[in-house]
Amino acid sequence: MRKPNVDINVFIERRKQLAQLIPGSALILTAHPEYIRNNDVFHAYRQDSNFYYLTGFEEPESIFVFRPGCEKESILFVRNKDIERETWDGFRYGPEATQKEFKVDAAYSIDKFEEIAPKLLAEVDKLYYRFFYFKEYDSIIEKALLDTKDLKRRSGVGNLTIADSYQLLGEKRIIKDEFEKDQMRKAAEINTFAHTQIMKAIKPGINERELHGIFIQSIMSQGATREAYGGIFASGNNATTLHYVFNDQICKEGELFLIDAGPEYNYYASDVTRTYPVNGKFSDDQKRIYERLLQLQKSVIEQVKPGITMFNLQKFTISSLVDLMLDEGLLKGIKDELIMNMDYLKYYPHGIGHWLGMDVHDSGLTTIGGEPRQLEPGMVVTIEPGLYIPESDKDAPKALRGMGIRIEDNLLITENGNEVITEKIPKEISDLENFLS
Ligand code: GLY
Ligand code: MN
Ligand code: MN
């Protein structure tokens, strides 16, 4: 474990802002334990986004308690120092150094949580905690709540009111401040470099896995910590599997290649998809369909501004894609009926985009009061129309089978419109063909 690349005051400032929203309440966040990969090897650890967002602390098996207005507001429960384990697995802060380095009001051993937590919770009226997320912590929190109630015996006070911590923080995280916008622009810049490296490397005969390797090398060389999600490196028919994970097939002459990949930079994600021919030159069929999807993506992007909803952008996208499906002989019938019956789902089974931030599918409500949520300045969204025609689809024109196309960019909502922070990654046919040659 090490200190984050980020000034610790960033986390203190976030806690100050959150304190305004939950006076008289406590918030508890948990950092899950490491997860066994095989035998004595663990999966690479990545801190929970909310935990990191408020503390900057990256060690597993930690609990953060925040009680705005109480004498000790911010408290971390962390693993003890353990020289033997540290020899094998690396440095641990331990309570003392955690308090000093992460500038919290107190830090204790995680072993003391059961004893101390009820005293901390006895001072508040309400607890923000997400149940049913890390199951192993639920019983620990339940015990703390029971013991808290016991402390208040005969006072007539009932159980603490519980509210959802992730919804609370989702609403905080959905609007990015200037620091966060810069992190996301940097993630986009790294992604631009890495995507263009793939465009330079692709050729018939290369394995998807080798391209994935070049991508990881490229983002790491520019300061990324890791991929923001498991990258999709899909040639030919593989691109018709939305979350294709194997990335181990040979890219063949004549096929399209779909790459959906992005780095994580200081815990902020980039999420970009490009589709282009393995051999560098679009065939007539590929060109015709790609160009229509590109025009569609660009006209959706033009509409993105405060007040617009993702729901309406999806409606517009479906309407345009059904036109395309009818023109290409993928669907037959009357447009309105095809839309009403959702027949388009066969070739476009996902949404037009999602919130983007620390999580690739970032937190934040998508509806408010039952209505689709309006975009606001400071939000970041993806716009990613696609069309997927599996090889096995005997109803589709033969020439189109095995074609999966998606074009995805990341947009920061501004006062009057949007800033496409991934716009430097080529997507025009002429730019792609130039790059690929
Ligand atoms: N990479 C996952 C997505 O585009 O939503
Ligand atoms: Mn994506
Ligand atoms: Mn996406």
Side-chain angles (χ1 to χ4, degrees):
M1 236 293 278
R2 71 227 180 284
K3 260 176 108 165
N5 291 327
V6 172
D7 183 349
I8 291 296
N9 291 310
V10 166
F11 307 103
I12 295 178
E13 179 55 33
R14 288 173 180 167
R15 298 201 290 266
K16 264 196 204 143
Q17 290 170 9
L18 182 68
Q20 310 294 317
L21 303 179
I22 55 167
S25 304
L27 163 80
I28 292 186
L29 297 174
T30 56
H32 46 292
E34 288 176 294
Y35 193 81
I36 291 173
R37 197 192 86 159
N38 54 316
N39 197 11
D40 58 351
V41 174
F42 292 93
H43 281 282
Y45 193 76
R46 195 265 193 198
Q47 186 56 284
D48 174 69
S49 295
N50 285 327
F51 201 104
Y52 183 84
Y53 180 78
L54 289 181
T55 65
F57 192 72
E58 293 182 275
E59 289 190 32
E61 290 175 64
S62 316
I63 299 181
F64 176 59
V65 182
F66 186 49
R67 309 178 308 153
C70 292
E71 192 203 332
K72 286 189 164 60
E73 284 196 342
S74 52
I75 301 148
L76 272 168
F77 292 86
V78 303
R79 300 180 304 186
N80 290 317
K81 286 203 68 73
D82 179 336
I83 296 307
E84 197 205 330
R85 282 319 320 158
E86 290 181 54
T87 303
W88 288 92
D89 305 329
F91 177 77
R92 296 177 177 192
Y93 276 95
E96 215 172 292
T98 297
Q99 178 174 350
K100 182 159 164 284
E101 298 293 337
F102 291 83
K103 298 189 183 171
V104 286
D105 298 329
Y108 305 106
S109 160
I110 188 74
D111 303 336
K112 294 249 176 74
F113 183 79
E114 186 177 328
E115 176 197 330
I116 297 174
K119 293 174 198 144
L120 300 177
L121 293 178
E123 292 180 41
V124 302
D125 303 322
K126 184 172 174 182
L127 172 64
Y128 287 86
Y129 172 74
R130 168 155 280 193
F131 273 106
F132 316 116
Y133 190 48
F134 298 141
K135 238 183 162 343
E136 53 265 60
Y137 281 113
D138 286 355
S139 53
I140 295 172
I141 302 301
E142 278 171 23
K143 170 101 178 41
L145 287 169
L146 266 177
D147 291 349
T148 304
K149 192 160 173 266
D150 279 350
L151 279 182
K152 294 186 169 181
R153 218 178 346 218
R154 299 209 194 98
S155 67
V157 175
N159 291 320
L160 280 185
T161 304
I162 310 286
D164 190 89
S165 52
Y166 279 59
Q167 185 171 328
L168 171 77
L169 286 164
E171 288 309 287
K172 176 92 181 66
R173 279 170 41 198
I174 196 169
I175 307 291
K176 276 71 182 171
D177 63 21
E178 292 309 313
F179 168 81
E180 293 180 290
K181 289 175 195 168
D182 282 346
Q183 307 305 303
M184 296 198 71
R185 288 190 188 103
K186 178 67 184 175
E189 186 187 315
I190 293 172
N191 214 4
T192 304
F193 174 75
H195 269 267
T196 51
Q197 292 304 105
I198 301 303
M199 289 172 191
K200 287 180 190 164
I202 193 163
K203 59 184 178 197
I206 197 167
N207 195 295
E208 294 162 355
R209 180 185 290 147
E210 188 174 344
L211 295 172
H212 194 182
I214 294 168
F215 187 83
I216 292 173
Q217 194 278 335
S218 303
I219 61 169
M220 296 295 204
S221 74
Q222 304 301 303
T225 317
R226 52 180 88 83
E227 288 184 284
Y229 51 93
I232 297 165
F233 293 73
S235 58
N237 187 54
N238 299 331
T240 65
T241 300
L242 293 183
H243 286 168
Y244 174 69
V245 291
F246 297 110
N247 300 343
D248 63 355
Q249 299 299 304
I250 303 281
C251 301
K252 298 193 203 77
E253 175 68 37
E255 290 179 338
L256 286 176
F257 172 71
L258 181 152
I259 167 177
D260 180 350
E264 186 178 292
Y265 178 75
N266 283 342
Y267 278 77
Y268 286 86
S270 178
D271 175 16
V272 169
T273 307
R274 291 291 183 262
T275 309
Y276 41 82
V278 168
N279 67 9
K281 194 108 185 80
F282 284 87
S283 72
D284 289 346
D285 288 322
Q286 291 166 350
K287 186 179 269 181
R288 188 177 67 251
I289 296 185
Y290 181 88
E291 188 58 35
R292 280 193 65 174
L293 263 180
L294 180 61
Q295 292 312 322
L296 164 60
Q297 198 236 14
K298 292 198 303 196
S299 57
V300 175
I301 288 176
E302 267 177 33
Q303 298 172 46
V304 173
K305 62 176 184 191
I308 294 292
T309 67
M310 295 300 270
F311 180 80
N312 277 330
L313 296 176
Q314 174 75 340
K315 257 173 76 172
F316 174 84
T317 302
I318 289 167
S319 170
S320 305
L321 284 176
V322 169
D323 287 337
L324 170 58
M325 291 171 200
L326 282 166
D327 292 348
E328 290 293 339
L330 290 164
L331 294 182
K332 291 184 181 60
I334 297 164
K335 182 176 175 185
D336 289 349
E337 284 176 12
L338 294 169
I339 291 176
M340 205 158 61
N341 296 332
M342 299 197 277
D343 289 310
Y344 55 83
L345 286 177
K346 184 172 173 195
Y347 300 110
Y348 173 59
H350 60 76
I352 185 61
H354 50 84
W355 314 139
L356 181 70
M358 298 182 77
D359 297 324
V360 62
H361 298 154
D362 209 29
S363 51
L365 297 171
T366 55
T367 56
I368 291 191
E371 295 294 323
R373 180 177 203 154
Q374 294 184 0
L375 298 179
E376 294 170 49
M379 289 178 173
V380 179
V381 299
T382 67
I383 294 296
E384 48 180 308
L387 189 74
Y388 315 89
I389 310 163
E391 205 139 66
S392 58
D393 179 11
K394 301 295 177 236
D395 298 332
K398 211 164 180 180
L400 308 185
R401 292 181 204 162
M403 204 187 276
I405 304 178
R406 180 165 62 252
I407 309 167
E408 175 176 28
D409 280 297
N410 304 160
L411 285 70
L412 166 65
I413 315 300
T414 57
E415 289 300 325
N416 304 312
N418 69 75
E419 173 189 333
V420 183
I421 58 179
T422 50
E423 72 178 354
K424 293 217 174 87
I425 306 178
K427 62 181 175 184
E428 298 292 337
I429 288 182
S430 55
D431 292 341
L432 283 170
E433 288 190 341
N434 277 339
F435 228 102
L436 292 160
S437 66

